[in-house]
Amino acid sequence: MKEARLLLYSAARVVFILFLVIHLVYTEFFAFEAAQIMPWKQRLWKSNADLHAYSSNITSAPEPAPAEVLVSKSKNSNISEETILFDEGKSESLQHELQKQDSSLEVLLSRLVPEEQRSEFESSGLACDSAAHSLVCVVNKPVKIINSGSTGVSVVYESSQSAGERTIVRPYARQEDADLLKSVTPVEILSQENSSVKQGCHYNHDVPAVLFSTSGFTGNLFHEMNEIIIPLFLTSFQFQSHVQFVVTDHKASFVSRYGRLLSKLSRYEVINPAANRSIVHCFPGAVVGLKFHEFLGFNSSEIPRGYFMEDFRNFLRQTYRLKAQNVSAITKPNLLLISRQHSRTFLNENQLVDMMRTSGFQVIVAKPKRMANLAKFAKLVSSCSVMVGAHGAGLANEVFLPAGAVMVQVVPLGLDWASGAYFGEPASDMGVHYLEYKIEPEESSLINSYKRDHPVITDPTRVLYNDYQAGRALYIDGQNMKIDLARFKKTLTEALKLLG
């Protein structure tokens, strides 16, 4: 009987330990995905009800009269200096600096306004900053946001000084692309003289709103990072998660893909104004549009000042729990090869991989399907000391590389400028070594269609200048590469030297 009890006790211990291990594994690898799925299930389940009752710290009424004013739980929009954005620590430099500064809503909003406009901003309540790539309008007075149906979204604020003025913003950080902006829903900013702004609110939020669009080139990692994620960080990080995102042209796939990141920048569920057009949301202030500095990068002297790429990379490390901050923490030289499937592909990819392995690397080949889960792929990238890929969106994963890593970009014919501007120049600010491998005409598939002395081969710049769409069809969409293995091996040797 005693032996049976001991056996039963031992079995119970084994079961308990096994359960504990399974729980830890689940928490590490699957909890995030489950957490992302559940809110979407809840939204579908509540689709006929108010989708935003859970969105932020608000006071609401089920069926308010048109002129009813709902009082927010907190009329003070100041942000507590004790607020901690990250669960696993802080972005040491930037976050500590922000917490030392005046955290009143008025001051935070004014940091997004050029100095020469701040005096007028304080009196009129509206200021717009127009740059080559972005247009950002800031309102420091109470606003109500209304979905106007097919005409777009309206942001209404009270101003006796500029009553009746209208400003139109298409809130996507690629203002230089007029054709692209046609797909971005316009946001109308309208000033009114009377106090009707405070009437008819279904929900009163006590944090400011940031409005932006997920139209444009979403679905492409480079454009998502370049035109939404980095600009969103620039625009909203200073609010220390006390901000409400209102997303026009709402794409559920984008919100799901970047769910963990969005939840770190804002503690509230994203509002989709098109989900329920009869709902009116009111805020103590608003920002329409996102700030843009430079391709995949930051300029600390531009508004809002004091932001560096390292701040953003710290934010990514903490958000996605990336362990290797420096390449010195990686014991073996792992090489990640970004494998393209439709254009700018490596025609001799298998031979290329074999050569990489004989050169001393442990090679990981990443095809598009493997890159679909951003959280998991970010961890994989952060465990690699070298990343290799042809010019394309996948190289934007360089933001996840540890400091001291090497990024090797294979530059196809005709894409010299884009390769350097989009991925080469930003690398140094990331603390990443950058190497270029520019292919020879004989390595391009275009040599099979054009003679060696044809302008398509000898002068791609002129071809692109004369007819960009025709040039794009050739160099971006219609070109593949057969890499000279012996020549490319020299580049890998240089990468090994940079690793030390």
Side-chain angles (χ1 to χ4, degrees), residues 337-355:
L337 177 64
I338 304 296
S339 177
R340 296 182 59 85
Q341 303 297 297
H342 300 296
S343 65
R344 284 158 280 145
T345 63
F346 297 128
L347 298 174
N348 56 341
E349 183 171 286
N350 291 337
Q351 293 89 336
L352 184 62
V353 170
D354 290 341
M355 184 271 288

Side-chain angles (χ1 to χ4, degrees), residues 126 128 135-139 143-157 165-172 175 181-191 209-215 246-250 271 273-274 283 286-290:
L126 173 69
C128 294
L135 172 60
V136 179
C137 291
V138 185
V139 184
V143 303
K144 62 181 178 183
I145 297 177
I146 307 165
N147 188 300
S148 304
S150 59
T151 60
V153 174
S154 296
V155 176
V156 183
Y157 72 102
E165 289 189 3
R166 298 172 184 267
T167 302
I168 301 296
V169 179
R170 294 182 185 267
Y172 187 78
Q175 294 292 306
L181 289 182
K182 293 176 182 177
S183 68
V184 178
T185 298
V187 175
E188 177 191 52
I189 304 174
L190 175 63
S191 62
V210 170
L211 285 82
F212 63 95
S213 170
T214 55
S215 184
V246 179
V247 178
T248 61
D249 307 306
H250 183 282
I271 290 178
F283 299 89
V287 181
V288 182
L290 301 177

